[in-house]
Amino acid sequence: MSPNTPSGGGGGGIKKLRQLSSSSSFSAITSDEDETEDDRPQWYLKDTSVQFHRTPAEQDPAVGFFYTPRTLTMLSVMLLALVYVAMTPEVDDTVTNVKLGVIASIGAFCVFGMLQFRDSLLLRPHPALWRVVLSFGIVYQLFLVFLLFQNKHDARLLFKYMDPTLGVPLPEKSYGDACELTYDNIVDQTLDVFVLAHAVGWFCKALILRDYTFCWILSVMFEVMEYSLSHQLNNFDECWWDHWILDVLVCNWLGIYLGVKTCEYFEMKQYSWQGLAQIPTFKGKMKRTMQQFTPKSWTKFEWDSTKSFKSYATVIFILTMFLICELNAFYLKTLLWLPPAHPINIARIFSYFMFGIPGVREAYQYLHDPNCKRFGPQAWLLIGCIATEVLIVVKFGRGEFPNPAPANVLYFWAGFLTLLTVYPIYQFYLLPKLQERRIRKKLE
């Protein structure tokens, strides 16, 4: 008989001893892990890889379905949709077939990106949303590269192909023709649809930048850009009170104020997330569902532009990118003959809002976190899209703006750029040396 059988006295004793030893070893290991859980090294605590943290599906099994990868399921659904298209009767309309084919191709790529791209720093309402945003950003960048290789005439025909109502020159409109402070003029400017668009736009910019001073500088600088470029674009020619009162002090201020207050609310809010399974009441479950569309946590942006040259250069660069992105909208619609209220313009503005939320967040993380060694894909793509738009404007704008810049505009920008160059030299190079010399003299 085998010595490991229960009937063997010595063998049974040995087996029981082994079981007790293994159980005591396991309890010792688990108790040791509990005692040293807070003493884990920094690299362990900062690592965000899946092997060191529970997934959302593990944290809240009640909504685990929405956080469990469904790659094969989504592939099957997409292939079934394509099978349906292949089996349906053909449509003898080339334009319709091309448009549907392009839309389906974009959708297929976004589905792939939603399933396969890595997560960004943003997790709400779902990481898949920001993967789709990244996918669509890649599609938009590819479209811009394609547009860059066309000439101006063919680019306009391309948009006319998308919408037959396009492809005609835009009527010139100037807001600086009636600048008298009369009731009719003020009402006419105030009831313009773009007044509300100004406020909503600056609310969104405040959510992206999360800094009151930064937004105010950007607001004033955009009005300066309108003054400087009014000789090229007629809709930049506005009355002085339209620039500084209606735009800066009313619309922009209202949007910035509400946006910053929203940021302060998220900053002061206490974040304690419970899974749906842990909430007993239906009202509590509904409230938790609505909170899914709010941030999981909030990072306050402290740009500190005067503390170091790196921070100063970062603020100047982001400020320049925002201004260029705003100007691109006006130049592109002028060069490509796109009416301001056309859905293409609205879609572009909304897309940049979605690109900017994770893009600026990743740029801030890269510039302020010494442990972050990689520039985020959303930030990389955001800069690439803005730069490519600038190249398109430069290429298509040849011969379109013959009027030279006024002398006062040239003098202003010469002085302003000189100030931007001299200030960091004094602040970050000369001033520390002067302070160091003073300290040495006192010590001597």
Side-chain angles (χ1 to χ4, degrees):
M1 183 177 292
S2 171
N4 292 331
T5 56
S7 59
I14 294 173
K15 183 175 181 181
K16 291 180 180 179
L17 182 61
R18 288 177 178 174
Q19 291 176 348
L20 290 174
S21 175
S22 61
S23 61
S24 61
S25 300
F26 175 76
S27 60
I29 291 173
T30 53
S31 62
D32 184 65
E33 287 180 351
D34 293 337
E35 292 174 359
T36 60
E37 185 176 3
D38 296 332
D39 298 332
R40 293 176 295 181
Q42 289 297 318
W43 64 265
Y44 183 95
L45 297 174
K46 292 180 180 178
D47 194 292
T48 57
S49 55
V50 10
Q51 62 264 32
F52 293 126
H53 295 274
R54 293 190 302 165
T55 63
E58 295 171 337
Q59 296 174 5
D60 189 3
V63 294
F65 174 83
F66 298 102
Y67 287 93
T68 303
R70 304 286 176 179
T71 53
L72 294 178
T73 303
M74 292 299 297
L75 177 61
S76 302
V77 171
M78 187 179 70
L79 291 179
L80 287 175
L82 296 179
V83 168
Y84 171 79
V85 173
M87 297 301 176
T88 54
E90 294 183 356
V91 179
D92 294 330
D93 187 352
T94 304
V95 176
T96 301
N97 290 335
V98 170
K99 290 181 179 179
L100 291 178
V102 170
I103 294 174
S105 301
I106 295 173
F109 179 76
C110 289
V111 168
F112 171 80
M114 178 183 68
L115 298 174
Q116 302 296 342
F117 286 174
R118 67 186 183 198
D119 293 340
S120 71
L121 294 173
L122 304 181
L123 302 177
R124 293 297 175 88
H126 195 284
L129 171 66
W130 303 109
R131 295 188 219 125
V132 172
V133 170
L134 178 61
S135 305
F136 188 76
I138 295 174
V139 172
Y140 183 64
Q141 172 64 16
L142 294 176
F143 172 74
L144 292 176
V145 172
F146 172 80
L147 198 63
L148 183 62
F149 280 82
Q150 313 308 309
N151 58 48
K152 184 168 39 184
H153 176 70
D154 291 342
R156 291 167 178 169
L157 288 180
L158 175 63
F159 284 96
K160 186 176 179 62
Y161 187 81
M162 297 179 186
D163 185 353
T165 62
L166 300 177
V168 294
L170 299 180
E172 295 185 359
K173 182 177 181 180
S174 175
Y175 294 91
D177 296 334
C179 291
E180 295 80 9
L181 282 174
T182 62
Y183 176 79
D184 293 336
N185 290 339
I186 294 176
V187 170
D188 182 62
Q189 297 286 2
T190 305
L191 295 181
D192 193 282
V193 66
F194 296 106
V195 172
L196 178 62
H198 266 280
V200 174
W202 282 102
F203 174 80
C204 296
K205 294 184 185 73
L207 292 181
I208 294 174
L209 293 172
R210 309 182 189 182
D211 187 89
Y212 194 77
T213 305
F214 202 154
C215 290
W216 264 111
I217 295 173
L218 188 61
S219 174
V220 173
M221 285 305 302
F222 183 76
E223 300 302 323
V224 173
M225 297 300 297
E226 286 189 336
Y227 269 115
S228 304
L229 298 172
S230 60
H231 63 283
Q232 294 185 349
L233 300 176
N234 288 328
N235 53 358
F236 280 173
D237 185 17
E238 300 176 353
C239 303
W240 66 268
W241 51 268
D242 194 353
H243 276 295
W244 302 111
I245 298 179
L246 186 60
D247 285 353
V248 175
L249 297 181
V250 178
C251 300
N252 298 0
W253 173 82
L254 179 62
I256 293 172
Y257 177 79
L258 295 177
V260 171
K261 286 299 178 182
T262 304
C263 294
E264 291 177 354
Y265 166 77
F266 287 129
E267 179 186 345
M268 299 299 295
K269 179 183 177 182
Q270 293 184 354
Y271 293 92
S272 178
W273 299 106
Q274 284 183 305
L276 290 176
Q278 300 172 348
I279 302 175
T281 63
F282 177 77
K283 181 179 179 180
K285 292 180 184 294
M286 292 299 298
K287 182 179 178 181
R288 173 62 181 83
T289 302
M290 297 303 298
Q291 288 177 342
Q292 185 68 22
F293 296 90
T294 63
K296 186 176 182 179
S297 61
W298 191 260
T299 300
K300 181 181 178 181
F301 286 178
E302 297 179 354
W303 299 102
D304 297 331
S305 59
T306 60
K307 290 188 176 181
S308 67
F309 178 76
K310 180 181 178 181
S311 299
Y312 174 81
T314 299
V315 169
I316 296 298
F317 178 77
I318 295 179
L319 175 65
T320 304
M321 286 291 104
F322 265 79
L323 289 175
I324 292 176
C325 183
E326 293 279 351
L327 294 175
N328 284 346
F330 291 91
Y331 277 97
L332 288 174
K333 73 179 181 63
T334 301
L335 294 171
L336 299 174
W337 296 347
L338 300 173
H342 195 274
I344 292 179
N345 278 326
I346 298 174
R348 178 193 173 274
I349 294 173
F350 179 75
S351 298
Y352 267 108
F353 171 64
M354 297 300 293
F355 299 160
I357 294 175
V360 175
R361 178 65 182 87
E362 289 179 355
Y364 183 86
Q365 188 76 15
Y366 176 78
L367 295 166
H368 290 79
D369 184 2
N371 296 314
C372 183
K373 305 299 182 182
R374 182 194 294 268
F375 199 62
Q378 301 272 16
W380 187 95
L381 197 61
L382 180 62
I383 297 174
C385 290
I386 295 174
T388 309
E389 286 184 343
V390 172
L391 297 177
I392 294 173
V393 170
V394 171
K395 180 179 179 180
F396 293 172
R398 294 170 185 166
E400 292 286 336
F401 310 108
N403 297 331
N408 57 346
V409 172
L410 297 177
Y411 295 151
F412 168 80
W413 281 104
F416 184 74
L417 294 177
T418 302
L419 180 63
L420 287 181
T421 306
V422 171
Y423 172 77
I425 296 175
Y426 171 77
Q427 177 71 19
F428 306 116
Y429 180 74
L430 296 178
L431 185 59
K433 285 194 172 185
L434 292 175
Q435 293 175 346
E436 185 179 355
R437 289 180 182 178
R438 291 175 184 174
I439 295 175
R440 287 181 180 177
K441 287 182 180 181
K442 289 182 179 180
L443 293 177
E444 291 175 357

